[in-house]
Amino acid sequence: VILCYDADGAGYKAAEKAFVQLSKSSIVVRVVSLPLGEDPDTLIQQEGIPAFQERLVSAREFFDYQIDRGAEDLDLSSIRGRMQFADRIASTAVYIEDPVVLDGVVHKVSTRLGVAPASFRQRIAEGRQKKKREESFRPRSAPGEDAASGGGQAEEPYRIQNNTVAVLCQMMLTDREAR
């Protein structure tokens, strides 16, 4: 799939969101870079269809796009900047389930950022643990009902999936000494 969003911050966020959804289905995502202030419609009007088709052919893989965009926002010449950016990219890479694709991303990102592959892999593992914890505390919706829509029914309470956390919560509610 080739994504083509405006070159502003909203377009970047939209590309990240689309990547997250598409990567769940192991779909390879590439991104067309547009000049700032341009959108696909105006670019086709100004440059013509063949020029826009050339942009589609030269679309970059998602993580190359993400690294290039991040280089605009952070100082990647500093260790701190590279580590912050490695964390940002790892938070997106956690959605990649195919191990071969993930290996490729780890290699590409670690090479481009100058960080050890093992360090980047560790950041991804930590991001997956964080994602799993966050998902375990999300409210669950009734079957066939979207949690955001409400569906006119009362929202189901949070379900705690970690037994240790459930026991600690129960102790806090029922045991005076634990309070």
Side-chain angles (χ1 to χ4, degrees), residues 2 7 31 48 51 57 67 74-76 89 103 119 122 127-128 139 150 156-158 164 177:
I2 300 174
V31 182
V57 168
I67 291 169
L74 294 169
D75 177 16
L76 298 184
I89 293 176
D103 284 345
S119 298
Q122 178 62 35
R128 284 185 170 159
E156 194 173 311
Y158 284 91
T164 304
E177 289 180 36

Side-chain angles (χ1 to χ4, degrees), residues 145-174:
E145 178 187 341
D146 181 11
S149 70
Q153 298 177 0
E155 191 174 300
E156 194 173 311
Y158 284 91
R159 288 189 186 163
I160 299 174
Q161 294 180 352
N162 181 324
N163 192 41
T164 304
V165 173
V167 169
L168 289 172
C169 288
Q170 183 158 358
M171 283 177 57
M172 291 298 294
L173 293 171
T174 60

Side-chain angles (χ1 to χ4, degrees), residues 119-156:
S119 298
F120 185 62
R121 224 177 251 291
Q122 178 62 35
R123 283 179 154 58
I124 293 171
E126 290 167 0
R128 284 185 170 159
Q129 289 173 348
K130 179 181 177 187
K131 181 180 141 224
K132 194 179 278 190
R133 282 191 307 268
E134 289 172 355
E135 287 174 353
S136 71
F137 287 103
R138 271 199 199 122
R140 306 283 184 222
S141 56
E145 178 187 341
D146 181 11
S149 70
Q153 298 177 0
E155 191 174 300
E156 194 173 311

Side-chain angles (χ1 to χ4, degrees), residues 3 10 14-15 19 25 32 42 64 66-67 77 91 101 106-107 116 153:
L3 303 177
F19 172 81
S25 299
V32 171
T42 59
D64 286 321
Q66 192 178 33
I67 291 169
S77 65
S91 71
V101 174
V106 167
H107 176 72
Q153 298 177 0

Side-chain angles (χ1 to χ4, degrees), residues 42-61:
T42 59
L43 211 55
I44 290 171
Q45 289 176 9
Q46 292 172 0
E47 297 180 352
I49 292 174
F52 189 75
Q53 287 173 326
E54 181 56 37
R55 287 184 185 274
L56 294 175
V57 168
S58 63
R60 293 174 295 166
E61 290 184 19

